[in-house]
Amino acid sequence: MQAYLSHTPLLNFEHPDIQALITSRCWHEMDKPTALKAIYDFVKDDIFFGYSAQDTLKASEVLQDGYGQCNTKGTLLMALLRAVGIPCQLQGFTINNNLKSGVMPSWILKLAPKEIVHSWVEVFIEGQWLELEGYIIDKRYLSAIQQRFKNHQGPFIGYGIATPCLQSPKNEFNGTDTYIQKESIIKSLGHFSEPELFYRQYSNLTGIKKWLYQVAFRHIINLNIKRLRAAYTN
């Protein structure tokens, strides 16, 4: 089980910012199920949904940015869980890029690969492994999309979401698996005890497309996400 608790270059939970966060939230003083729920909710709602510069950001860098997508928010979640002694691993996937329609302009979507690299976090708690994916989308952004499509019935794919039911997705952690993009997953790429092992084998973009994404495209997408989130009204 030690392999699922280790500090790694990406899971840098010894960083002062991460240790300060854990101390301020008293996560290290909680029993493990309570700490898991508190950390999950923090990564889901306090770290906004948005597209990071690259998948291989350190956990401390994701915390500093204050936003991330599946892969980078997963890195932060894993680091925080391991910091309080909760074993976890990553399962990698390929996922259909169709879930980005709505947040990604159609002209960018045409340039993007049809399949991209995706991941979720699996935690070992109370004698069983649980699959956690629902942390990717923050509550305020999800509420904005639910308001925008308040009359939608049935499966919903788009705006970074792929779920059987938009109004009642299984993304809140209550001791069981959580999902928010699962409906667009194509296939599993296996389990990895360290995110570094996954990203050495798989990546989303290379060359000029990677450069364009980092310096321009992701900022356009993130601006769209901010506008959508700002439209939410209580």
Side-chain angles (χ1 to χ4, degrees):
M1 196 57 71
Q2 186 57 38
Y4 306 113
L5 289 167
S6 299
H7 174 280
T8 76
L10 293 187
L11 307 179
N12 61 337
F13 58 75
E14 294 177 350
H15 190 281
D17 290 348
I18 292 182
Q19 288 298 312
L21 173 67
I22 291 169
T23 300
S24 69
R25 302 284 179 134
C26 300
W27 290 333
H28 59 298
E29 299 175 6
M30 299 175 181
D31 62 75
K32 297 233 173 357
T34 303
L36 171 53
K37 166 70 173 169
I39 291 171
Y40 178 92
D41 287 346
F42 172 82
V43 173
K44 180 170 73 69
D45 294 329
D46 289 57
I47 305 299
F48 283 175
F49 169 56
Y51 287 87
S52 305
Q54 57 186 354
D55 287 333
T56 52
L57 292 183
K58 297 177 181 178
S60 60
E61 294 173 324
V62 182
L63 178 62
Q64 184 176 39
D65 283 350
Y67 66 89
Q69 83 286 29
C70 56
N71 299 321
T72 52
K73 288 184 77 168
T75 295
L76 177 59
L77 178 60
M78 290 182 70
L80 294 173
L81 292 173
R82 291 190 180 191
V84 298
I86 299 175
C88 55
Q89 64 180 347
L90 174 155
Q91 184 172 180
F93 302 91
T94 57
I95 192 169
N96 194 314
N97 222 356
N98 61 357
L99 84 167
K100 290 183 182 173
S101 62
V103 294
M104 182 180 288
S106 57
W107 61 273
I108 295 181
L109 198 57
K110 289 179 181 177
L111 297 174
K114 295 186 181 304
E115 297 180 16
I116 56 175
V117 170
H118 174 66
S119 63
W120 68 38
V121 174
E122 298 184 3
V123 298
F124 190 78
I125 191 83
E126 296 185 321
Q128 63 178 335
W129 285 98
L130 298 179
E131 298 172 346
L132 304 180
E133 190 201 43
Y135 57 82
I136 300 168
I137 303 296
D138 62 90
K139 187 174 185 177
R140 190 174 180 87
Y141 176 78
L142 176 61
S143 296
I145 302 304
Q146 288 171 327
Q147 283 187 350
R148 188 182 184 93
F149 297 96
K150 59 184 179 183
N151 296 320
H152 181 86
Q153 300 290 325
F156 183 90
I157 295 178
Y159 293 82
I161 297 166
T163 179
C165 180
L166 178 62
Q167 299 304 326
S168 300
K170 305 295 185 185
N171 67 318
E172 296 292 337
F173 180 70
N174 294 302
T176 59
D177 303 332
T178 73
Y179 305 105
I180 196 64
Q181 296 183 338
K182 185 181 178 184
E183 295 305 298
S184 282
I185 286 176
I186 297 169
K187 67 177 181 180
S188 173
L189 298 174
H191 291 83
F192 300 83
S193 61
E194 301 176 8
E196 289 90 338
L197 301 176
F198 178 56
Y199 298 122
R200 281 177 199 153
Q201 295 186 49
Y202 304 101
S203 63
N204 277 321
L205 297 170
T206 58
I208 186 66
K209 286 188 176 181
K210 182 176 181 178
W211 181 80
L212 286 170
Y213 166 80
Q214 291 178 327
V215 303
F217 292 168
R218 73 182 186 92
H219 297 296
I220 296 171
I221 299 167
N222 286 341
L223 182 59
N224 283 339
I225 291 172
K226 288 181 180 178
R227 287 171 175 164
L228 289 164
R229 186 184 289 111
Y232 170 70
T233 56
N234 289 312

mmCIF file of all heavy atoms in Angstrom, residues 144-190:
data_model
loop_
_atom_site.group_PDB
_atom_site.id
_atom_site.type_symbol
_atom_site.label_atom_id
_atom_site.label_comp_id
_atom_site.label_asym_id
_atom_site.label_seq_id
_atom_site.Cartn_x
_atom_site.Cartn_y
_atom_site.Cartn_z
ATOM 1 N N ALA A 144 -24.634 26.799 -13.317
ATOM 2 C CA ALA A 144 -24.869 27.684 -14.462
ATOM 3 C C ALA A 144 -25.314 26.886 -15.683
ATOM 4 O O ALA A 144 -26.225 27.296 -16.414
ATOM 5 C CB ALA A 144 -23.600 28.476 -14.772
ATOM 6 N N ILE A 145 -24.672 25.744 -15.912
ATOM 7 C CA ILE A 145 -25.055 24.905 -17.068
ATOM 8 C C ILE A 145 -26.430 24.284 -16.828
ATOM 9 O O ILE A 145 -27.243 24.161 -17.759
ATOM 10 C CB ILE A 145 -23.982 23.823 -17.308
ATOM 11 C CG1 ILE A 145 -22.614 24.468 -17.547
ATOM 12 C CG2 ILE A 145 -24.370 22.943 -18.507
ATOM 13 C CD1 ILE A 145 -22.583 25.476 -18.681
ATOM 14 N N GLN A 146 -26.714 23.886 -15.585
ATOM 15 C CA GLN A 146 -28.045 23.334 -15.281
ATOM 16 C C GLN A 146 -29.132 24.374 -15.512
ATOM 17 O O GLN A 146 -30.214 24.050 -16.009
ATOM 18 C CB GLN A 146 -28.074 22.833 -13.839
ATOM 19 C CG GLN A 146 -27.276 21.553 -13.628
ATOM 20 C CD GLN A 146 -27.132 21.173 -12.170
ATOM 21 O OE1 GLN A 146 -27.054 22.045 -11.292
ATOM 22 N NE2 GLN A 146 -27.076 19.879 -11.887
ATOM 23 N N GLN A 147 -28.856 25.640 -15.155
ATOM 24 C CA GLN A 147 -29.826 26.703 -15.408
ATOM 25 C C GLN A 147 -29.995 26.945 -16.904
ATOM 26 O O GLN A 147 -31.102 27.144 -17.396
ATOM 27 C CB GLN A 147 -29.367 28.002 -14.742
ATOM 28 C CG GLN A 147 -29.598 28.044 -13.248
ATOM 29 C CD GLN A 147 -29.279 29.420 -12.667
ATOM 30 O OE1 GLN A 147 -28.720 30.283 -13.337
ATOM 31 N NE2 GLN A 147 -29.633 29.615 -11.417
ATOM 32 N N ARG A 148 -28.878 26.927 -17.623
ATOM 33 C CA ARG A 148 -28.903 27.200 -19.062
ATOM 34 C C ARG A 148 -29.718 26.148 -19.805
ATOM 35 O O ARG A 148 -30.379 26.449 -20.801
ATOM 36 C CB ARG A 148 -27.454 27.228 -19.577
ATOM 37 C CG ARG A 148 -27.287 27.684 -21.012
ATOM 38 C CD ARG A 148 -25.814 27.623 -21.403
ATOM 39 N NE ARG A 148 -25.569 28.133 -22.741
ATOM 40 C CZ ARG A 148 -25.240 29.374 -23.024
ATOM 41 N NH1 ARG A 148 -25.093 30.242 -22.041
ATOM 42 N NH2 ARG A 148 -25.046 29.757 -24.270
ATOM 43 N N PHE A 149 -29.657 24.904 -19.316
ATOM 44 C CA PHE A 149 -30.376 23.802 -19.973
ATOM 45 C C PHE A 149 -31.383 23.189 -18.998
ATOM 46 O O PHE A 149 -31.448 21.983 -18.825
ATOM 47 C CB PHE A 149 -29.383 22.743 -20.465
ATOM 48 C CG PHE A 149 -28.431 23.251 -21.499
ATOM 49 C CD1 PHE A 149 -27.163 23.687 -21.146
ATOM 50 C CD2 PHE A 149 -28.806 23.331 -22.840
ATOM 51 C CE1 PHE A 149 -26.277 24.182 -22.091
ATOM 52 C CE2 PHE A 149 -27.928 23.817 -23.797
ATOM 53 C CZ PHE A 149 -26.660 24.248 -23.426
ATOM 54 N N LYS A 150 -32.161 24.036 -18.345
ATOM 55 C CA LYS A 150 -33.053 23.581 -17.284
ATOM 56 C C LYS A 150 -34.150 22.659 -17.779
ATOM 57 O O LYS A 150 -34.723 21.901 -16.988
ATOM 58 C CB LYS A 150 -33.672 24.778 -16.561
ATOM 59 C CG LYS A 150 -34.482 25.703 -17.453
ATOM 60 C CD LYS A 150 -34.951 26.902 -16.658
ATOM 61 C CE LYS A 150 -35.746 27.871 -17.538
ATOM 62 N NZ LYS A 150 -36.155 29.078 -16.779
ATOM 63 N N ASN A 151 -34.459 22.686 -19.054
ATOM 64 C CA ASN A 151 -35.507 21.807 -19.594
ATOM 65 C C ASN A 151 -34.956 20.574 -20.279
ATOM 66 O O ASN A 151 -35.713 19.785 -20.841
ATOM 67 C CB ASN A 151 -36.378 22.594 -20.585
ATOM 68 C CG ASN A 151 -37.129 23.729 -19.909
ATOM 69 O OD1 ASN A 151 -37.627 23.579 -18.787
ATOM 70 N ND2 ASN A 151 -37.210 24.871 -20.578
ATOM 71 N N HIS A 152 -33.622 20.401 -20.218
ATOM 72 C CA HIS A 152 -33.015 19.247 -20.889
ATOM 73 C C HIS A 152 -33.345 17.956 -20.149
ATOM 74 O O HIS A 152 -33.285 17.893 -18.925
ATOM 75 C CB HIS A 152 -31.498 19.420 -20.959
ATOM 76 C CG HIS A 152 -30.810 18.286 -21.654
ATOM 77 N ND1 HIS A 152 -30.654 18.235 -23.021
ATOM 78 C CD2 HIS A 152 -30.262 17.133 -21.171
ATOM 79 C CE1 HIS A 152 -30.027 17.131 -23.347
ATOM 80 N NE2 HIS A 152 -29.781 16.435 -22.252
ATOM 81 N N GLN A 153 -33.680 16.942 -20.904
ATOM 82 C CA GLN A 153 -33.971 15.629 -20.347
ATOM 83 C C GLN A 153 -33.019 14.597 -20.949
ATOM 84 O O GLN A 153 -32.656 14.699 -22.113
ATOM 85 C CB GLN A 153 -35.423 15.216 -20.667
ATOM 86 C CG GLN A 153 -36.477 16.171 -20.117
ATOM 87 C CD GLN A 153 -36.596 16.114 -18.604
ATOM 88 O OE1 GLN A 153 -36.435 15.056 -18.004
ATOM 89 N NE2 GLN A 153 -36.873 17.257 -17.985
ATOM 90 N N GLY A 154 -32.624 13.604 -20.176
ATOM 91 C CA GLY A 154 -31.798 12.515 -20.701
ATOM 92 C C GLY A 154 -30.321 12.833 -20.692
ATOM 93 O O GLY A 154 -29.882 13.806 -20.072
ATOM 94 N N PRO A 155 -29.526 12.002 -21.361
ATOM 95 C CA PRO A 155 -28.064 12.168 -21.358
ATOM 96 C C PRO A 155 -27.655 13.543 -21.878
ATOM 97 O O PRO A 155 -28.286 14.091 -22.782
ATOM 98 C CB PRO A 155 -27.586 11.056 -22.303
ATOM 99 C CG PRO A 155 -28.682 10.038 -22.263
ATOM 100 C CD PRO A 155 -29.950 10.804 -22.112
ATOM 101 N N PHE A 156 -26.572 14.090 -21.292
ATOM 102 C CA PHE A 156 -26.082 15.407 -21.679
ATOM 103 C C PHE A 156 -24.584 15.316 -21.922
ATOM 104 O O PHE A 156 -23.832 14.858 -21.053
ATOM 105 C CB PHE A 156 -26.354 16.418 -20.560
ATOM 106 C CG PHE A 156 -25.948 17.828 -20.901
ATOM 107 C CD1 PHE A 156 -26.845 18.699 -21.501
ATOM 108 C CD2 PHE A 156 -24.666 18.272 -20.620
ATOM 109 C CE1 PHE A 156 -26.471 20.003 -21.814
ATOM 110 C CE2 PHE A 156 -24.281 19.571 -20.934
ATOM 111 C CZ PHE A 156 -25.181 20.438 -21.530
ATOM 112 N N ILE A 157 -24.152 15.758 -23.105
ATOM 113 C CA ILE A 157 -22.724 15.788 -23.429
ATOM 114 C C ILE A 157 -22.384 17.140 -24.018
ATOM 115 O O ILE A 157 -22.954 17.542 -25.041
ATOM 116 C CB ILE A 157 -22.340 14.658 -24.399
ATOM 117 C CG1 ILE A 157 -22.543 13.290 -23.734
ATOM 118 C CG2 ILE A 157 -20.889 14.810 -24.865
ATOM 119 C CD1 ILE A 157 -22.231 12.106 -24.616
ATOM 120 N N GLY A 158 -21.481 17.859 -23.387
ATOM 121 C CA GLY A 158 -21.055 19.179 -23.844
ATOM 122 C C GLY A 158 -20.696 20.041 -22.653
ATOM 123 O O GLY A 158 -20.924 19.675 -21.499
ATOM 124 N N TYR A 159 -20.056 21.201 -22.914
ATOM 125 C CA TYR A 159 -19.692 22.156 -21.865
ATOM 126 C C TYR A 159 -18.791 21.518 -20.794
ATOM 127 O O TYR A 159 -18.828 21.890 -19.634
ATOM 128 C CB TYR A 159 -20.947 22.762 -21.223
ATOM 129 C CG TYR A 159 -21.722 23.633 -22.193
ATOM 130 C CD1 TYR A 159 -22.607 23.065 -23.105
ATOM 131 C CD2 TYR A 159 -21.541 25.004 -22.213
ATOM 132 C CE1 TYR A 159 -23.296 23.857 -24.021
ATOM 133 C CE2 TYR A 159 -22.234 25.814 -23.121
ATOM 134 C CZ TYR A 159 -23.109 25.232 -24.019
ATOM 135 O OH TYR A 159 -23.784 26.022 -24.924
ATOM 136 N N GLY A 160 -18.005 20.499 -21.183
ATOM 137 C CA GLY A 160 -17.099 19.823 -20.252
ATOM 138 C C GLY A 160 -17.774 18.756 -19.421
ATOM 139 O O GLY A 160 -17.160 18.231 -18.477
ATOM 140 N N ILE A 161 -19.024 18.448 -19.733
ATOM 141 C CA ILE A 161 -19.820 17.516 -18.928
ATOM 142 C C ILE A 161 -20.306 16.373 -19.818
ATOM 143 O O ILE A 161 -20.664 16.580 -20.976
ATOM 144 C CB ILE A 161 -21.029 18.267 -18.318
ATOM 145 C CG1 ILE A 161 -20.550 19.368 -17.366
ATOM 146 C CG2 ILE A 161 -21.986 17.302 -17.614
ATOM 147 C CD1 ILE A 161 -21.624 20.364 -16.982
ATOM 148 N N ALA A 162 -20.323 15.154 -19.281
ATOM 149 C CA ALA A 162 -20.880 13.999 -20.002
ATOM 150 C C ALA A 162 -21.523 13.088 -18.961
ATOM 151 O O ALA A 162 -20.844 12.320 -18.286
ATOM 152 C CB ALA A 162 -19.793 13.264 -20.782
ATOM 153 N N THR A 163 -22.841 13.208 -18.820
ATOM 154 C CA THR A 163 -23.535 12.553 -17.728
ATOM 155 C C THR A 163 -24.899 12.041 -18.179
ATOM 156 O O THR A 163 -25.515 12.635 -19.075
ATOM 157 C CB THR A 163 -23.708 13.538 -16.546
ATOM 158 O OG1 THR A 163 -24.397 12.901 -15.482
ATOM 159 C CG2 THR A 163 -24.470 14.781 -16.973
ATOM 160 N N PRO A 164 -25.398 10.976 -17.562
ATOM 161 C CA PRO A 164 -26.731 10.473 -17.946
ATOM 162 C C PRO A 164 -27.849 11.445 -17.603
ATOM 163 O O PRO A 164 -28.905 11.402 -18.228
ATOM 164 C CB PRO A 164 -26.867 9.176 -17.131
ATOM 165 C CG PRO A 164 -25.473 8.787 -16.775
ATOM 166 C CD PRO A 164 -24.724 10.078 -16.619
ATOM 167 N N CYS A 165 -27.637 12.319 -16.596
ATOM 168 C CA CYS A 165 -28.686 13.253 -16.191
ATOM 169 C C CYS A 165 -28.060 14.565 -15.724
ATOM 170 O O CYS A 165 -27.414 14.588 -14.670
ATOM 171 C CB CYS A 165 -29.545 12.651 -15.067
ATOM 172 S SG CYS A 165 -30.864 13.758 -14.506
ATOM 173 N N LEU A 166 -28.235 15.631 -16.482
ATOM 174 C CA LEU A 166 -27.607 16.911 -16.144
ATOM 175 C C LEU A 166 -28.131 17.476 -14.825
ATOM 176 O O LEU A 166 -27.361 18.039 -14.044
ATOM 177 C CB LEU A 166 -27.857 17.931 -17.265
ATOM 178 C CG LEU A 166 -27.298 19.343 -17.011
ATOM 179 C CD1 LEU A 166 -25.781 19.305 -16.877
ATOM 180 C CD2 LEU A 166 -27.725 20.278 -18.134
ATOM 181 N N GLN A 167 -29.404 17.352 -14.564
ATOM 182 C CA GLN A 167 -29.974 17.951 -13.361
ATOM 183 C C GLN A 167 -29.619 17.178 -12.093
ATOM 184 O O GLN A 167 -29.681 17.733 -10.995
ATOM 185 C CB GLN A 167 -31.503 18.066 -13.510
ATOM 186 C CG GLN A 167 -31.942 18.945 -14.676
ATOM 187 C CD GLN A 167 -31.368 20.357 -14.637
ATOM 188 O OE1 GLN A 167 -31.183 20.933 -13.559
ATOM 189 N NE2 GLN A 167 -31.079 20.924 -15.804
ATOM 190 N N SER A 168 -29.264 15.888 -12.209
ATOM 191 C CA SER A 168 -28.902 15.086 -11.032
ATOM 192 C C SER A 168 -27.688 14.211 -11.313
ATOM 193 O O SER A 168 -27.767 12.976 -11.235
ATOM 194 C CB SER A 168 -30.090 14.207 -10.611
ATOM 195 O OG SER A 168 -31.209 14.981 -10.283
ATOM 196 N N PRO A 169 -26.542 14.817 -11.626
ATOM 197 C CA PRO A 169 -25.344 14.003 -11.879
ATOM 198 C C PRO A 169 -24.823 13.400 -10.576
ATOM 199 O O PRO A 169 -25.041 13.950 -9.496
ATOM 200 C CB PRO A 169 -24.348 15.031 -12.445
ATOM 201 C CG PRO A 169 -24.770 16.326 -11.830
ATOM 202 C CD PRO A 169 -26.267 16.268 -11.727
ATOM 203 N N LYS A 170 -24.144 12.277 -10.673
ATOM 204 C CA LYS A 170 -23.614 11.596 -9.478
ATOM 205 C C LYS A 170 -22.213 12.132 -9.164
ATOM 206 O O LYS A 170 -21.236 11.384 -9.123
ATOM 207 C CB LYS A 170 -23.582 10.083 -9.722
ATOM 208 C CG LYS A 170 -24.922 9.489 -10.137
ATOM 209 C CD LYS A 170 -25.955 9.611 -9.040
ATOM 210 C CE LYS A 170 -27.254 8.911 -9.438
ATOM 211 N NZ LYS A 170 -28.335 9.105 -8.430
ATOM 212 N N ASN A 171 -22.121 13.451 -8.941
ATOM 213 C CA ASN A 171 -20.798 14.052 -8.744
ATOM 214 C C ASN A 171 -20.495 14.437 -7.296
ATOM 215 O O ASN A 171 -19.374 14.806 -6.976
ATOM 216 C CB ASN A 171 -20.654 15.294 -9.627
ATOM 217 C CG ASN A 171 -21.577 16.430 -9.195
ATOM 218 O OD1 ASN A 171 -22.746 16.213 -8.866
ATOM 219 N ND2 ASN A 171 -21.055 17.632 -9.200
ATOM 220 N N GLU A 172 -21.485 14.372 -6.402
ATOM 221 C CA GLU A 172 -21.244 14.687 -4.995
ATOM 222 C C GLU A 172 -20.732 13.440 -4.280
ATOM 223 O O GLU A 172 -21.271 12.339 -4.479
ATOM 224 C CB GLU A 172 -22.532 15.180 -4.333
ATOM 225 C CG GLU A 172 -23.074 16.487 -4.902
ATOM 226 C CD GLU A 172 -22.175 17.675 -4.582
ATOM 227 O OE1 GLU A 172 -21.410 17.600 -3.599
ATOM 228 O OE2 GLU A 172 -22.235 18.681 -5.325
ATOM 229 N N PHE A 173 -19.700 13.602 -3.437
ATOM 230 C CA PHE A 173 -19.150 12.439 -2.743
ATOM 231 C C PHE A 173 -19.947 12.146 -1.473
ATOM 232 O O PHE A 173 -20.016 12.962 -0.562
ATOM 233 C CB PHE A 173 -17.686 12.649 -2.370
ATOM 234 C CG PHE A 173 -17.104 11.450 -1.661
ATOM 235 C CD1 PHE A 173 -16.874 10.270 -2.350
ATOM 236 C CD2 PHE A 173 -16.828 11.483 -0.302
ATOM 237 C CE1 PHE A 173 -16.362 9.157 -1.706
ATOM 238 C CE2 PHE A 173 -16.319 10.376 0.356
ATOM 239 C CZ PHE A 173 -16.092 9.206 -0.352
ATOM 240 N N ASN A 174 -20.523 10.957 -1.440
ATOM 241 C CA ASN A 174 -21.268 10.499 -0.263
ATOM 242 C C ASN A 174 -20.867 9.069 0.100
ATOM 243 O O ASN A 174 -21.719 8.261 0.492
ATOM 244 C CB ASN A 174 -22.773 10.582 -0.542
ATOM 245 C CG ASN A 174 -23.247 12.015 -0.711
ATOM 246 O OD1 ASN A 174 -23.070 12.838 0.189
ATOM 247 N ND2 ASN A 174 -23.820 12.336 -1.867
ATOM 248 N N GLY A 175 -19.576 8.755 -0.078
ATOM 249 C CA GLY A 175 -19.080 7.430 0.268
ATOM 250 C C GLY A 175 -19.125 6.423 -0.857
ATOM 251 O O GLY A 175 -18.827 5.241 -0.638
ATOM 252 N N THR A 176 -19.516 6.877 -2.069
ATOM 253 C CA THR A 176 -19.553 5.980 -3.225
ATOM 254 C C THR A 176 -18.853 6.640 -4.414
ATOM 255 O O THR A 176 -18.376 7.774 -4.317
ATOM 256 C CB THR A 176 -21.008 5.629 -3.605
ATOM 257 O OG1 THR A 176 -21.709 6.849 -3.912
ATOM 258 C CG2 THR A 176 -21.726 4.935 -2.455
ATOM 259 N N ASP A 177 -18.819 5.939 -5.550
ATOM 260 C CA ASP A 177 -18.185 6.459 -6.765
ATOM 261 C C ASP A 177 -18.845 7.770 -7.203
ATOM 262 O O ASP A 177 -20.043 7.987 -6.964
ATOM 263 C CB ASP A 177 -18.324 5.455 -7.911
ATOM 264 C CG ASP A 177 -17.727 4.089 -7.576
ATOM 265 O OD1 ASP A 177 -16.785 4.042 -6.765
ATOM 266 O OD2 ASP A 177 -18.212 3.084 -8.128
ATOM 267 N N THR A 178 -18.071 8.632 -7.851
ATOM 268 C CA THR A 178 -18.633 9.863 -8.418
ATOM 269 C C THR A 178 -18.161 10.017 -9.866
ATOM 270 O O THR A 178 -17.047 9.628 -10.194
ATOM 271 C CB THR A 178 -18.200 11.118 -7.628
ATOM 272 O OG1 THR A 178 -16.815 11.400 -7.888
ATOM 273 C CG2 THR A 178 -18.422 10.941 -6.129
ATOM 274 N N TYR A 179 -19.039 10.584 -10.692
ATOM 275 C CA TYR A 179 -18.712 10.767 -12.112
ATOM 276 C C TYR A 179 -19.317 12.069 -12.632
ATOM 277 O O TYR A 179 -20.372 12.498 -12.169
ATOM 278 C CB TYR A 179 -19.277 9.612 -12.950
ATOM 279 C CG TYR A 179 -18.850 8.236 -12.477
ATOM 280 C CD1 TYR A 179 -19.758 7.422 -11.783
ATOM 281 C CD2 TYR A 179 -17.570 7.753 -12.710
ATOM 282 C CE1 TYR A 179 -19.384 6.152 -11.338
ATOM 283 C CE2 TYR A 179 -17.184 6.498 -12.273
ATOM 284 C CZ TYR A 179 -18.101 5.698 -11.586
ATOM 285 O OH TYR A 179 -17.726 4.459 -11.141
ATOM 286 N N ILE A 180 -18.651 12.660 -13.650
ATOM 287 C CA ILE A 180 -19.200 13.844 -14.325
ATOM 288 C C ILE A 180 -18.834 13.886 -15.806
ATOM 289 O O ILE A 180 -19.429 14.638 -16.565
ATOM 290 C CB ILE A 180 -18.740 15.149 -13.619
ATOM 291 C CG1 ILE A 180 -19.607 16.339 -14.041
ATOM 292 C CG2 ILE A 180 -17.260 15.419 -13.876
ATOM 293 C CD1 ILE A 180 -21.041 16.256 -13.648
ATOM 294 N N GLN A 181 -17.863 13.070 -16.252
ATOM 295 C CA GLN A 181 -17.497 13.037 -17.669
ATOM 296 C C GLN A 181 -17.480 11.616 -18.219
ATOM 297 O O GLN A 181 -17.108 11.388 -19.369
ATOM 298 C CB GLN A 181 -16.115 13.687 -17.881
ATOM 299 C CG GLN A 181 -16.068 15.170 -17.545
ATOM 300 C CD GLN A 181 -14.719 15.809 -17.816
ATOM 301 O OE1 GLN A 181 -13.694 15.131 -17.873
ATOM 302 N NE2 GLN A 181 -14.703 17.125 -17.966
ATOM 303 N N LYS A 182 -17.890 10.656 -17.418
ATOM 304 C CA LYS A 182 -17.731 9.240 -17.746
ATOM 305 C C LYS A 182 -18.391 8.842 -19.059
ATOM 306 O O LYS A 182 -17.902 7.949 -19.765
ATOM 307 C CB LYS A 182 -18.306 8.386 -16.607
ATOM 308 C CG LYS A 182 -18.098 6.898 -16.776
ATOM 309 C CD LYS A 182 -18.716 6.108 -15.623
ATOM 310 C CE LYS A 182 -18.547 4.618 -15.812
ATOM 311 N NZ LYS A 182 -19.231 3.843 -14.735
ATOM 312 N N GLU A 183 -19.507 9.512 -19.420
ATOM 313 C CA GLU A 183 -20.265 9.089 -20.603
ATOM 314 C C GLU A 183 -19.497 9.292 -21.905
ATOM 315 O O GLU A 183 -19.888 8.755 -22.938
ATOM 316 C CB GLU A 183 -21.602 9.828 -20.648
ATOM 317 C CG GLU A 183 -22.534 9.491 -19.495
ATOM 318 C CD GLU A 183 -22.803 8.001 -19.377
ATOM 319 O OE1 GLU A 183 -23.353 7.429 -20.320
ATOM 320 O OE2 GLU A 183 -22.444 7.411 -18.335
ATOM 321 N N SER A 184 -18.416 10.080 -21.873
ATOM 322 C CA SER A 184 -17.623 10.281 -23.095
ATOM 323 C C SER A 184 -16.347 9.438 -23.114
ATOM 324 O O SER A 184 -15.564 9.522 -24.062
ATOM 325 C CB SER A 184 -17.248 11.766 -23.255
ATOM 326 O OG SER A 184 -18.340 12.502 -23.749
ATOM 327 N N ILE A 185 -16.111 8.630 -22.090
ATOM 328 C CA ILE A 185 -14.908 7.794 -22.042
ATOM 329 C C ILE A 185 -14.966 6.721 -23.124
ATOM 330 O O ILE A 185 -16.010 6.095 -23.345
ATOM 331 C CB ILE A 185 -14.743 7.160 -20.643
ATOM 332 C CG1 ILE A 185 -14.283 8.231 -19.639
ATOM 333 C CG2 ILE A 185 -13.742 6.006 -20.675
ATOM 334 C CD1 ILE A 185 -14.180 7.739 -18.218
ATOM 335 N N ILE A 186 -13.845 6.512 -23.776
ATOM 336 C CA ILE A 186 -13.761 5.518 -24.853
ATOM 337 C C ILE A 186 -13.159 4.215 -24.341
ATOM 338 O O ILE A 186 -13.728 3.144 -24.527
ATOM 339 C CB ILE A 186 -12.921 6.083 -26.026
ATOM 340 C CG1 ILE A 186 -13.624 7.310 -26.616
ATOM 341 C CG2 ILE A 186 -12.718 5.004 -27.101
ATOM 342 C CD1 ILE A 186 -12.774 8.093 -27.588
ATOM 343 N N LYS A 187 -11.984 4.288 -23.691
ATOM 344 C CA LYS A 187 -11.364 3.069 -23.183
ATOM 345 C C LYS A 187 -10.394 3.396 -22.056
ATOM 346 O O LYS A 187 -9.874 4.516 -21.960
ATOM 347 C CB LYS A 187 -10.632 2.312 -24.287
ATOM 348 C CG LYS A 187 -9.412 3.037 -24.835
ATOM 349 C CD LYS A 187 -8.708 2.172 -25.882
ATOM 350 C CE LYS A 187 -7.454 2.886 -26.411
ATOM 351 N NZ LYS A 187 -6.754 2.087 -27.430
ATOM 352 N N SER A 188 -10.131 2.382 -21.200
ATOM 353 C CA SER A 188 -9.158 2.533 -20.122
ATOM 354 C C SER A 188 -7.738 2.333 -20.651
ATOM 355 O O SER A 188 -7.504 1.496 -21.534
ATOM 356 C CB SER A 188 -9.443 1.508 -19.018
ATOM 357 O OG SER A 188 -8.402 1.542 -18.043
ATOM 358 N N LEU A 189 -6.807 3.092 -20.092
ATOM 359 C CA LEU A 189 -5.382 2.931 -20.401
ATOM 360 C C LEU A 189 -4.635 2.305 -19.228
ATOM 361 O O LEU A 189 -3.407 2.212 -19.250
ATOM 362 C CB LEU A 189 -4.775 4.295 -20.745
ATOM 363 C CG LEU A 189 -5.374 4.990 -21.981
ATOM 364 C CD1 LEU A 189 -4.800 6.388 -22.131
ATOM 365 C CD2 LEU A 189 -5.128 4.172 -23.245
ATOM 366 N N GLY A 190 -5.360 1.905 -18.194
ATOM 367 C CA GLY A 190 -4.748 1.212 -17.076
ATOM 368 C C GLY A 190 -4.637 2.049 -15.813
ATOM 369 O O GLY A 190 -4.990 3.226 -15.792
#
